[in-house]
Amino acid sequence: MTVAIPIDKAGTAACAPRERVGVLIVNLGTPDTADARGVRVYLKEFLSDPRVIEKQGLGWKLVLNGIILNTRPRRKALDYLKIWNTELDESPLKTITRSQSDKLTAALEGHDHVVVDWAMRYGNPSMQSRIAALAAQGCDRLLVVPLYPQYSATTSATVCDEAFRILSEMRAQPTLRVTPPYYDDPDYIEALAVSIETHLASLPFTPDVIMASFHGMPQTYVDKGDPYQRHCVATTEALRKRMGLDASKLMLTFQSRFGFDEWLQPYTDKTVEKLAKDGVKRLAVVNPGFSADCLETLEEIAQENAHIFRQNGGEEFTAIPCLNDSDPGMDVIRSLVLRELQGWI
């Protein structure tokens, strides 16, 4: 005989906790401390990733452990000290990413079953720790948000690799989604244009040239099929169209090369030097590929390249802040997240 059990007496299944959705925003990473030891730990993790340095053979390991990790950390620690958030004793990247997470939480406050958190691909807080924390809060669905507008195997893909690795060790895996690159998203292009225009309006001078500087990459990676360069070009072309500028007024360059291989060109530092020598007196640099200001924008661009420009005859130099946790920047992240959460909220 079949017995019907009333729903209100069906036991624990009827009072199971509400399913929750986790949103994890992820940026590249940062040392925990602005000293040689902190930088060494960070660089070892970063440069041991085969997505970043593809040739992880014995030769590279000897160079990494015998030379790079014995010399570079001391130099880079001095650079970090120039930009370090001494009040919180952390890098600006960590400060800004935390604020982006807090503001995204506030923007999604109407969805009380959504939990927002943040992590770094390298360093702390680790993706491992934050995914575990979201799972512990009952999140059985997870949206990972790599904060890289342009896709690259060295950035976006390695975030996915780490997420998949973490899930592979979990008995009860959350359902996973990953936001796509947004290099030509109209909201992103508009936010970039507004941030540039707002910053330039605050200056006592008008730049002769605006330079869009993206992080570099070995040319061989692109030759093997990485779409990163194409995405950077698409971003720059969309920004030129939105701002009514041609290639001579809004230039595309690549910074932060490492080692002796050929990287994507034109190089930012060489172009800055040439512009100054050619008579350009006023230069503005924007970094569309960085969602938050960090060592590469605050020290390499705002300090090193400013010095190169002035040393070679330039007069006025300005580094335009990244979108960071500004209202336009948060609008981009919020709209991206809401779009990818459709069907879950």
Side-chain angles (χ1 to χ4, degrees):
M1 181 175 65
T2 301
V3 178
I5 302 176
I7 292 178
D8 60 351
K9 296 181 180 179
T12 57
C15 25
R18 184 176 184 181
E19 296 173 341
R20 309 184 85 182
V21 177
V23 176
L24 185 68
I25 64 173
V26 183
N27 218 315
L28 187 76
T30 172
D32 289 332
T33 55
D35 55 23
R37 182 182 180 280
V39 175
R40 185 178 297 109
V41 170
Y42 169 72
L43 284 180
K44 184 174 180 62
E45 182 182 9
F46 177 56
L47 297 176
S48 297
D49 186 343
R51 287 286 196 180
V52 176
I53 304 295
E54 293 186 352
K55 297 179 180 178
Q56 290 282 330
L58 178 60
W60 169 248
K61 294 183 187 303
L62 290 173
V63 170
L64 175 62
N65 293 287
I67 301 176
I68 294 175
L69 295 180
N70 286 319
T71 59
R72 193 172 178 84
R74 287 191 294 274
R75 296 199 306 269
K76 298 310 291 184
L78 295 175
D79 291 337
Y80 274 104
L81 282 172
K82 297 175 186 177
I83 66 161
W84 203 249
N85 182 340
T86 55
E87 182 180 353
L88 296 178
D89 192 24
E90 63 186 22
S91 73
L93 179 64
K94 188 172 286 189
T95 304
I96 294 166
T97 308
R98 180 190 297 108
S99 180
Q100 289 171 325
S101 176
D102 291 344
K103 290 188 175 183
L104 182 59
T105 297
L108 299 177
E109 64 180 355
H111 305 283
D112 57 5
H113 65 300
V114 176
V115 183
V116 179
D117 208 336
W118 61 284
M120 296 293 169
R121 172 60 185 90
Y122 311 102
N124 295 302
S126 68
M127 291 179 62
Q128 177 98 42
S129 67
R130 302 330 301 156
I131 289 178
L134 289 169
Q137 294 176 76
C139 297
D140 65 351
R141 287 161 292 174
L142 176 63
L143 174 66
V144 173
V145 187
L147 290 177
Y148 311 115
Q150 297 77 27
Y151 174 94
S152 165
T154 63
T155 54
S156 308
T158 192
V159 168
C160 292
D161 289 347
E162 182 65 1
F164 299 149
R165 184 196 68 79
I166 293 165
L167 265 62
S168 73
E169 299 175 350
M170 298 176 68
R171 173 67 62 179
Q173 292 182 341
T175 300
L176 180 67
R177 288 181 181 175
V178 181
T179 56
Y182 50 98
Y183 59 94
D184 60 353
D185 185 284
D187 292 336
Y188 163 65
I189 299 301
E190 181 65 19
L192 285 175
V194 169
S195 72
I196 294 170
E197 292 166 348
T198 300
H199 181 79
L200 297 186
S202 71
L203 301 176
F205 66 92
T206 300
D208 303 316
V209 175
I210 302 173
M211 180 181 295
S213 178
F214 295 82
H215 200 287
M217 169 187 290
Q219 180 64 49
T220 55
Y221 291 14
V222 173
D223 295 341
K224 293 176 181 178
D226 197 298
Y228 177 69
Q229 182 181 32
R230 175 167 53 83
H231 286 188
C232 294
V233 170
T235 296
T236 307
E237 289 181 344
L239 192 55
R240 286 171 182 157
K241 181 177 180 180
R242 162 59 179 79
M243 299 187 70
L245 300 173
D246 61 26
S248 68
K249 293 298 182 181
L250 178 54
M251 303 179 68
L252 166 64
T253 62
F254 296 94
Q255 66 184 84
S256 310
R257 63 189 183 279
F258 174 78
F260 301 102
D261 293 337
E262 179 183 349
W263 281 45
L264 295 179
Q265 297 189 42
Y267 299 140
T268 296
D269 55 354
K270 299 298 183 183
T271 305
V272 167
E273 179 181 349
K274 185 177 187 303
L275 287 173
K277 289 181 176 179
D278 288 347
V280 171
K281 298 299 181 183
R282 295 168 293 275
L283 178 64
V285 181
V286 65
N287 295 101
F290 296 84
S291 61
D293 276 305
C294 54
L295 186 71
E296 287 79 4
T297 65
L298 298 173
E299 196 280 327
E300 183 181 354
I301 294 300
Q303 297 182 35
E304 288 184 26
N305 278 273
H307 177 70
I308 292 171
F309 185 65
R310 296 189 178 102
Q311 190 178 43
N312 288 280
E315 296 176 357
E316 301 285 356
F317 182 99
T318 187
I320 300 169
C322 295
L323 292 177
N324 295 325
D325 59 348
S326 65
D327 289 344
M330 291 310 305
D331 285 344
V332 174
I333 297 174
R334 179 185 55 80
S335 63
L336 176 67
V337 167
L338 286 175
R339 184 176 68 220
E340 298 306 317
L341 286 178
Q342 289 185 37
W344 281 4
I345 62 173

